[in-house]
Amino acid sequence: MTVVGLDVGGTKIVGARFGPEGPVGRIEVPTPCADGRRDPGSAAARGLLQRLVGEATDGVPAVGIAICEYVRDGTVTSREVIDWEGQPRDWLSGSHPAVRVWVESDVRCGAITEIARGTLRDKGVGYYVSWGTGLSGCLAVGGAPVAGRRGRAIALGELPAPEGPTLESYASGAGLARRYAARSGRPVREAREVLAAASSGDPVATEVATSAGRALAEALRWVVRLLDPDVVVLGGGLGTSDHPAAAALREAWADAPEQPPLLTASSGPDASLVGAAIHAGWRPS
């Protein structure tokens, strides 16, 4: 069976078809942003989904969509990052009404992947972190992600930060860009510009990056105190790459006694995309 997976993120939208040989036809497009609104009306996400389904030569019975929002039982219940229009489960109702559409929060999709084929496999209790444009986390117990009563058991980024209202505003990719721009007076669009500047010795960028990594490490230490997981897994674009913020996080983690292993998601930044496909019925070999 071939299914389509789609990962709708704050920086990029990624999709692919998944069949017996794994993912094929992977397409990545930047998430449009106009006047602070990301993908207004869901035009880019809808267009990519329509393209992937339409180009499938053997038909697609099911689609899985991972989105960087709160999701409860397949219904998106927030509009904090993506300015979506119409529930994602209905995006194909006009053109492909027979296709079943499964929708889940991107961080839980990432955890699903690591449970199925990666760092959370055979772990009794694990904690998966999606660190990218945004910041969220997911508890996995007994081989399944925990959604919570309202589907909101992912709000790692809502914890307090040393400065600003939340940890997400301080340590996420978007937070890094905002903090650097405010302190340096130089506007930047993405975290990778800040991290590149930090790697080149920019003192403001270095302070912004290292303070973000240390703040995330401290928040995760509290997660460990509360939940006592066997392992903590870093996913997302920032969580699976090497840069000064990640180095500061790992250094702070190593300095604390009796912490569980801090691992990198084995599926890399595509963990949520793969998890969306698994959620729709694809089974990796």
Side-chain angles (χ1 to χ4, degrees):
M1 179 177 74
T2 297
V3 306
V4 165
L6 187 73
D7 179 18
V8 183
T11 301
K12 63 183 183 295
I13 303 168
V14 185
R17 289 182 293 275
F18 290 77
E21 304 303 318
V24 295
R26 184 186 185 279
I27 303 173
E28 177 179 320
V29 299
T31 303
C33 186
D35 299 324
R37 301 166 61 210
R38 289 189 173 94
D39 196 14
S42 314
R46 288 172 183 257
L48 181 53
L49 182 62
Q50 294 275 358
R51 176 180 172 183
L52 287 164
V53 173
E55 290 179 353
T57 57
D58 54 351
V60 172
V63 163
I65 300 174
I67 188 168
C68 53
E69 298 288 352
Y70 289 118
V71 177
R72 180 181 184 181
D73 298 328
T75 298
V76 181
T77 60
S78 66
R79 193 177 272 104
E80 297 188 2
V81 179
I82 303 298
D83 189 23
W84 54 271
E85 181 177 306
Q87 282 292 333
R89 66 185 178 214
D90 298 326
W91 285 353
L92 293 174
S93 59
S95 58
H96 300 85
V99 176
R100 292 175 290 119
V101 180
W102 303 85
V103 183
E104 186 53 281
S105 172
D106 61 347
V107 65
R108 284 198 288 272
C109 284
I112 286 170
T113 300
E114 293 301 305
I115 290 167
R117 56 188 287 185
T119 52
L120 293 176
R121 190 169 187 174
D122 300 324
K123 295 292 189 295
V125 180
Y127 194 76
Y128 179 86
V129 179
S130 180
W131 186 19
T133 303
L135 178 63
S136 55
C138 176
L139 179 67
V141 178
V146 176
R149 177 174 60 88
R150 299 173 298 153
R152 293 190 168 228
I154 62 172
L156 173 65
E158 298 302 311
L159 293 177
E163 301 172 19
T166 66
L167 184 64
E168 183 169 69
S169 70
Y170 190 83
S172 70
L176 287 171
R178 282 194 297 266
R179 290 174 59 217
Y180 178 75
R183 295 189 182 193
S184 69
R186 296 191 292 273
V188 294
R189 291 178 58 87
E190 297 180 358
R192 60 185 172 185
E193 299 173 64
V194 181
L195 298 172
S199 297
S200 298
D202 181 323
V204 176
T206 298
E207 193 281 327
V208 167
T210 56
S211 61
R214 291 171 186 149
L216 180 53
E218 178 60 23
L220 290 175
R221 282 197 288 266
W222 277 106
V223 169
V224 168
R225 292 184 186 107
L226 288 169
L227 303 177
D228 198 21
D230 299 311
V231 64
V232 175
V233 178
L234 295 178
L238 294 181
T240 57
S241 55
D242 293 325
H243 49 78
L249 187 161
R250 293 186 182 280
E251 181 180 354
W253 193 262
D255 287 342
E258 299 184 1
Q259 296 299 315
L262 182 66
L263 305 179
T264 301
S266 60
S267 296
D270 274 351
S272 293
L273 172 66
V274 175
I278 294 172
H279 194 50
W282 179 68
R283 292 296 175 261
S285 57

